[in-house]
PDB file of all heavy atoms in Angstrom:
ATOM      1  N   GLY A 369     -19.508 -62.870-102.164  1.00 72.00           N
ATOM      2  CA  GLY A 369     -20.492 -63.661-102.901  1.00 72.00           C
ATOM      3  C   GLY A 369     -19.919 -64.846-103.660  1.00 72.00           C
ATOM      4  O   GLY A 369     -20.429 -65.968-103.540  1.00 72.00           O
ATOM      5  N   ILE A 371     -17.338 -66.561-103.058  1.00 71.00           N
ATOM      6  CA  ILE A 371     -16.849 -67.592-102.146  1.00 71.00           C
ATOM      7  C   ILE A 371     -17.984 -68.489-101.692  1.00 71.00           C
ATOM      8  O   ILE A 371     -17.771 -69.679-101.404  1.00 71.00           O
ATOM      9  CB  ILE A 371     -16.154 -66.929-100.946  1.00 71.00           C
ATOM     10  CG1 ILE A 371     -14.987 -66.050-101.447  1.00 71.00           C
ATOM     11  CG2 ILE A 371     -15.631 -67.958 -99.968  1.00 71.00           C
ATOM     12  CD1 ILE A 371     -14.270 -65.321-100.346  1.00 71.00           C
ATOM     13  N   MET A 372     -19.215 -67.963-101.644  1.00 69.00           N
ATOM     14  CA  MET A 372     -20.349 -68.763-101.202  1.00 69.00           C
ATOM     15  C   MET A 372     -20.628 -69.917-102.164  1.00 69.00           C
ATOM     16  O   MET A 372     -21.219 -70.925-101.782  1.00 69.00           O
ATOM     17  CB  MET A 372     -21.596 -67.884-101.085  1.00 69.00           C
ATOM     18  CG  MET A 372     -21.382 -66.605-100.287  1.00 69.00           C
ATOM     19  SD  MET A 372     -20.897 -66.880 -98.590  1.00 69.00           S
ATOM     20  CE  MET A 372     -22.405 -67.510 -97.912  1.00 69.00           C
ATOM     21  N   ASP A 373     -20.217 -69.761-103.433  1.00 67.00           N
ATOM     22  CA  ASP A 373     -20.477 -70.825-104.406  1.00 67.00           C
ATOM     23  C   ASP A 373     -19.632 -72.064-104.164  1.00 67.00           C
ATOM     24  O   ASP A 373     -19.947 -73.134-104.685  1.00 67.00           O
ATOM     25  CB  ASP A 373     -20.207 -70.311-105.830  1.00 67.00           C
ATOM     26  CG  ASP A 373     -21.186 -69.206-106.209  1.00 67.00           C
ATOM     27  OD1 ASP A 373     -22.294 -69.189-105.631  1.00 67.00           O
ATOM     28  OD2 ASP A 373     -20.849 -68.379-107.058  1.00 67.00           O
ATOM     29  N   ILE A 374     -18.557 -71.937-103.412  1.00 65.00           N
ATOM     30  CA  ILE A 374     -17.699 -73.100-103.196  1.00 65.00           C
ATOM     31  C   ILE A 374     -18.423 -74.161-102.383  1.00 65.00           C
ATOM     32  O   ILE A 374     -18.343 -75.351-102.673  1.00 65.00           O
ATOM     33  CB  ILE A 374     -16.404 -72.648-102.481  1.00 65.00           C
ATOM     34  CG1 ILE A 374     -15.633 -71.658-103.373  1.00 65.00           C
ATOM     35  CG2 ILE A 374     -15.528 -73.852-102.160  1.00 65.00           C
ATOM     36  CD1 ILE A 374     -14.373 -71.137-102.735  1.00 65.00           C
ATOM     37  N   GLN A 375     -19.161 -73.747-101.362  1.00 59.00           N
ATOM     38  CA  GLN A 375     -19.938 -74.667-100.542  1.00 59.00           C
ATOM     39  C   GLN A 375     -21.418 -74.263-100.606  1.00 59.00           C
ATOM     40  O   GLN A 375     -22.068 -74.042 -99.593  1.00 59.00           O
ATOM     41  CB  GLN A 375     -19.439 -74.646 -99.089  1.00 59.00           C
ATOM     42  CG  GLN A 375     -18.038 -75.170 -98.915  1.00 59.00           C
ATOM     43  CD  GLN A 375     -17.935 -76.667 -99.184  1.00 59.00           C
ATOM     44  OE1 GLN A 375     -18.917 -77.377 -99.112  1.00 59.00           O
ATOM     45  NE2 GLN A 375     -16.733 -77.124 -99.495  1.00 59.00           N
ATOM     46  N   ASN A 376     -21.943 -74.150-101.797  1.00 54.00           N
ATOM     47  CA  ASN A 376     -23.303 -73.661-101.967  1.00 54.00           C
ATOM     48  C   ASN A 376     -24.355 -74.678-101.547  1.00 54.00           C
ATOM     49  O   ASN A 376     -25.520 -74.340-101.381  1.00 54.00           O
ATOM     50  CB  ASN A 376     -23.537 -73.272-103.431  1.00 54.00           C
ATOM     51  CG  ASN A 376     -24.694 -72.309-103.581  1.00 54.00           C
ATOM     52  OD1 ASN A 376     -25.078 -71.634-102.624  1.00 54.00           O
ATOM     53  ND2 ASN A 376     -25.261 -72.232-104.756  1.00 54.00           N
ATOM     54  N   ASN A 377     -23.990 -75.933-101.394  1.00 55.00           N
ATOM     55  CA  ASN A 377     -24.965 -76.952-101.041  1.00 55.00           C
ATOM     56  C   ASN A 377     -25.230 -77.017 -99.547  1.00 55.00           C
ATOM     57  O   ASN A 377     -26.144 -77.708 -99.113  1.00 55.00           O
ATOM     58  CB  ASN A 377     -24.482 -78.328-101.529  1.00 55.00           C
ATOM     59  CG  ASN A 377     -24.413 -78.386-103.042  1.00 55.00           C
ATOM     60  OD1 ASN A 377     -25.207 -77.736-103.725  1.00 55.00           O
ATOM     61  ND2 ASN A 377     -23.477 -79.158-103.567  1.00 55.00           N
ATOM     62  N   ARG A 378     -24.420 -76.349 -98.743  1.00 58.00           N
ATOM     63  CA  ARG A 378     -24.579 -76.395 -97.302  1.00 58.00           C
ATOM     64  C   ARG A 378     -24.940 -75.010 -96.772  1.00 58.00           C
ATOM     65  O   ARG A 378     -24.323 -74.030 -97.135  1.00 58.00           O
ATOM     66  CB  ARG A 378     -23.288 -76.883 -96.626  1.00 58.00           C
ATOM     67  CG  ARG A 378     -22.882 -78.287 -97.048  1.00 58.00           C
ATOM     68  CD  ARG A 378     -21.603 -78.707 -96.338  1.00 58.00           C
ATOM     69  NE  ARG A 378     -21.188 -80.046 -96.729  1.00 58.00           N
ATOM     70  CZ  ARG A 378     -20.094 -80.650 -96.280  1.00 58.00           C
ATOM     71  NH1 ARG A 378     -19.307 -80.012 -95.420  1.00 58.00           N
ATOM     72  NH2 ARG A 378     -19.786 -81.862 -96.683  1.00 58.00           N
ATOM     73  N   GLY A 379     -25.911 -74.987 -95.906  1.00 60.00           N
ATOM     74  CA  GLY A 379     -26.325 -73.731 -95.304  1.00 60.00           C
ATOM     75  C   GLY A 379     -26.920 -72.753 -96.293  1.00 60.00           C
ATOM     76  O   GLY A 379     -26.792 -71.548 -96.119  1.00 60.00           O
ATOM     77  N   PHE A 380     -27.599 -73.269 -97.337  1.00 62.00           N
ATOM     78  CA  PHE A 380     -28.126 -72.385 -98.366  1.00 62.00           C
ATOM     79  C   PHE A 380     -29.215 -71.479 -97.796  1.00 62.00           C
ATOM     80  O   PHE A 380     -29.283 -70.294 -98.110  1.00 62.00           O
ATOM     81  CB  PHE A 380     -28.682 -73.224 -99.523  1.00 62.00           C
ATOM     82  CG  PHE A 380     -29.089 -72.411-100.719  1.00 62.00           C
ATOM     83  CD1 PHE A 380     -28.139 -71.739-101.466  1.00 62.00           C
ATOM     84  CD2 PHE A 380     -30.424 -72.290-101.091  1.00 62.00           C
ATOM     85  CE1 PHE A 380     -28.504 -70.976-102.573  1.00 62.00           C
ATOM     86  CE2 PHE A 380     -30.792 -71.546-102.182  1.00 62.00           C
ATOM     87  CZ  PHE A 380     -29.828 -70.893-102.920  1.00 62.00           C
ATOM     88  N   PHE A 381     -30.082 -72.031 -96.944  1.00 66.00           N
ATOM     89  CA  PHE A 381     -31.141 -71.222 -96.331  1.00 66.00           C
ATOM     90  C   PHE A 381     -30.549 -70.164 -95.402  1.00 66.00           C
ATOM     91  O   PHE A 381     -31.033 -69.034 -95.338  1.00 66.00           O
ATOM     92  CB  PHE A 381     -32.104 -72.129 -95.564  1.00 66.00           C
ATOM     93  CG  PHE A 381     -33.191 -71.386 -94.848  1.00 66.00           C
ATOM     94  CD1 PHE A 381     -34.264 -70.856 -95.549  1.00 66.00           C
ATOM     95  CD2 PHE A 381     -33.141 -71.201 -93.477  1.00 66.00           C
ATOM     96  CE1 PHE A 381     -35.269 -70.158 -94.895  1.00 66.00           C
ATOM     97  CE2 PHE A 381     -34.140 -70.510 -92.816  1.00 66.00           C
ATOM     98  CZ  PHE A 381     -35.209 -69.987 -93.530  1.00 66.00           C
ATOM     99  N   LEU A 382     -29.476 -70.527 -94.667  1.00 71.00           N
ATOM    100  CA  LEU A 382     -28.842 -69.579 -93.762  1.00 71.00           C
ATOM    101  C   LEU A 382     -28.259 -68.401 -94.529  1.00 71.00           C
ATOM    102  O   LEU A 382     -28.273 -67.266 -94.039  1.00 71.00           O
ATOM    103  CB  LEU A 382     -27.760 -70.280 -92.942  1.00 71.00           C
ATOM    104  CG  LEU A 382     -27.008 -69.423 -91.913  1.00 71.00           C
ATOM    105  CD1 LEU A 382     -27.990 -68.850 -90.893  1.00 71.00           C
ATOM    106  CD2 LEU A 382     -25.928 -70.231 -91.229  1.00 71.00           C
ATOM    107  N   HIS A 383     -27.759 -68.648 -95.743  1.00 72.00           N
ATOM    108  CA  HIS A 383     -27.225 -67.563 -96.561  1.00 72.00           C
ATOM    109  C   HIS A 383     -28.300 -66.508 -96.810  1.00 72.00           C
ATOM    110  O   HIS A 383     -28.057 -65.306 -96.672  1.00 72.00           O
ATOM    111  CB  HIS A 383     -26.708 -68.091 -97.899  1.00 72.00           C
ATOM    112  CG  HIS A 383     -25.558 -69.026 -97.744  1.00 72.00           C
ATOM    113  ND1 HIS A 383     -25.068 -69.770 -98.784  1.00 72.00           N
ATOM    114  CD2 HIS A 383     -24.799 -69.350 -96.664  1.00 72.00           C
ATOM    115  CE1 HIS A 383     -24.048 -70.514 -98.354  1.00 72.00           C
ATOM    116  NE2 HIS A 383     -23.879 -70.266 -97.070  1.00 72.00           N
ATOM    117  N   HIS A 384     -29.497 -66.962 -97.162  1.00 72.00           N
ATOM    118  CA  HIS A 384     -30.578 -66.027 -97.438  1.00 72.00           C
ATOM    119  C   HIS A 384     -30.975 -65.262 -96.178  1.00 72.00           C
ATOM    120  O   HIS A 384     -31.312 -64.071 -96.248  1.00 72.00           O
ATOM    121  CB  HIS A 384     -31.789 -66.781 -97.998  1.00 72.00           C
ATOM    122  CG  HIS A 384     -31.598 -67.245 -99.409  1.00 72.00           C
ATOM    123  ND1 HIS A 384     -31.750 -66.412-100.490  1.00 72.00           N
ATOM    124  CD2 HIS A 384     -31.259 -68.455 -99.910  1.00 72.00           C
ATOM    125  CE1 HIS A 384     -31.528 -67.088-101.604  1.00 72.00           C
ATOM    126  NE2 HIS A 384     -31.216 -68.338-101.278  1.00 72.00           N
ATOM    127  N   VAL A 385     -30.972 -65.916 -95.041  1.00 79.00           N
ATOM    128  CA  VAL A 385     -31.307 -65.233 -93.781  1.00 79.00           C
ATOM    129  C   VAL A 385     -30.290 -64.133 -93.485  1.00 79.00           C
ATOM    130  O   VAL A 385     -30.644 -63.010 -93.109  1.00 79.00           O
ATOM    131  CB  VAL A 385     -31.376 -66.256 -92.623  1.00 79.00           C
ATOM    132  CG1 VAL A 385     -31.564 -65.528 -91.288  1.00 79.00           C
ATOM    133  CG2 VAL A 385     -32.512 -67.241 -92.846  1.00 79.00           C
ATOM    134  N   VAL A 386     -29.002 -64.450 -93.674  1.00 78.00           N
ATOM    135  CA  VAL A 386     -27.956 -63.457 -93.416  1.00 78.00           C
ATOM    136  C   VAL A 386     -28.077 -62.281 -94.373  1.00 78.00           C
ATOM    137  O   VAL A 386     -28.012 -61.106 -93.978  1.00 78.00           O
ATOM    138  CB  VAL A 386     -26.566 -64.114 -93.516  1.00 78.00           C
ATOM    139  CG1 VAL A 386     -25.463 -63.068 -93.409  1.00 78.00           C
ATOM    140  CG2 VAL A 386     -26.402 -65.168 -92.419  1.00 78.00           C
ATOM    141  N   PHE A 387     -28.275 -62.573 -95.665  1.00 75.00           N
ATOM    142  CA  PHE A 387     -28.375 -61.499 -96.646  1.00 75.00           C
ATOM    143  C   PHE A 387     -29.601 -60.632 -96.384  1.00 75.00           C
ATOM    144  O   PHE A 387     -29.533 -59.402 -96.490  1.00 75.00           O
ATOM    145  CB  PHE A 387     -28.440 -62.083 -98.056  1.00 75.00           C
ATOM    146  CG  PHE A 387     -27.176 -62.798 -98.464  1.00 75.00           C
ATOM    147  CD1 PHE A 387     -27.189 -63.772 -99.455  1.00 75.00           C
ATOM    148  CD2 PHE A 387     -25.975 -62.507 -97.852  1.00 75.00           C
ATOM    149  CE1 PHE A 387     -26.034 -64.431 -99.816  1.00 75.00           C
ATOM    150  CE2 PHE A 387     -24.809 -63.152 -98.207  1.00 75.00           C
ATOM    151  CZ  PHE A 387     -24.840 -64.126 -99.195  1.00 75.00           C
ATOM    152  N   ALA A 388     -30.735 -61.255 -96.041  1.00 77.00           N
ATOM    153  CA  ALA A 388     -31.940 -60.476 -95.750  1.00 77.00           C
ATOM    154  C   ALA A 388     -31.756 -59.614 -94.502  1.00 77.00           C
ATOM    155  O   ALA A 388     -32.237 -58.482 -94.437  1.00 77.00           O
ATOM    156  CB  ALA A 388     -33.134 -61.414 -95.579  1.00 77.00           C
ATOM    157  N   SER A 389     -31.041 -60.126 -93.519  1.00 83.00           N
ATOM    158  CA  SER A 389     -30.795 -59.351 -92.301  1.00 83.00           C
ATOM    159  C   SER A 389     -29.969 -58.107 -92.600  1.00 83.00           C
ATOM    160  O   SER A 389     -30.236 -57.020 -92.081  1.00 83.00           O
ATOM    161  CB  SER A 389     -30.083 -60.223 -91.260  1.00 83.00           C
ATOM    162  OG  SER A 389     -30.861 -61.360 -90.936  1.00 83.00           O
ATOM    163  N   PHE A 390     -28.955 -58.259 -93.449  1.00 78.00           N
ATOM    164  CA  PHE A 390     -28.158 -57.088 -93.815  1.00 78.00           C
ATOM    165  C   PHE A 390     -28.982 -56.082 -94.615  1.00 78.00           C
ATOM    166  O   PHE A 390     -28.786 -54.870 -94.494  1.00 78.00           O
ATOM    167  CB  PHE A 390     -26.934 -57.519 -94.623  1.00 78.00           C
ATOM    168  CG  PHE A 390     -25.776 -57.939 -93.762  1.00 78.00           C
ATOM    169  CD1 PHE A 390     -25.461 -59.275 -93.591  1.00 78.00           C
ATOM    170  CD2 PHE A 390     -25.001 -56.996 -93.109  1.00 78.00           C
ATOM    171  CE1 PHE A 390     -24.399 -59.672 -92.794  1.00 78.00           C
ATOM    172  CE2 PHE A 390     -23.932 -57.370 -92.318  1.00 78.00           C
ATOM    173  CZ  PHE A 390     -23.632 -58.708 -92.153  1.00 78.00           C
TER     174      PHE A 390
END
Side-chain angles (χ1 to χ4, degrees):
I371 301 178
M372 310 299 289
D373 295 335
I374 298 178
Q375 294 292 338
N376 201 21
N377 295 328
R378 299 180 180 179
F380 188 67
F381 177 75
L382 181 60
H383 296 170
H384 287 280
V385 173
V386 173
F387 295 157
S389 301
F390 275 104

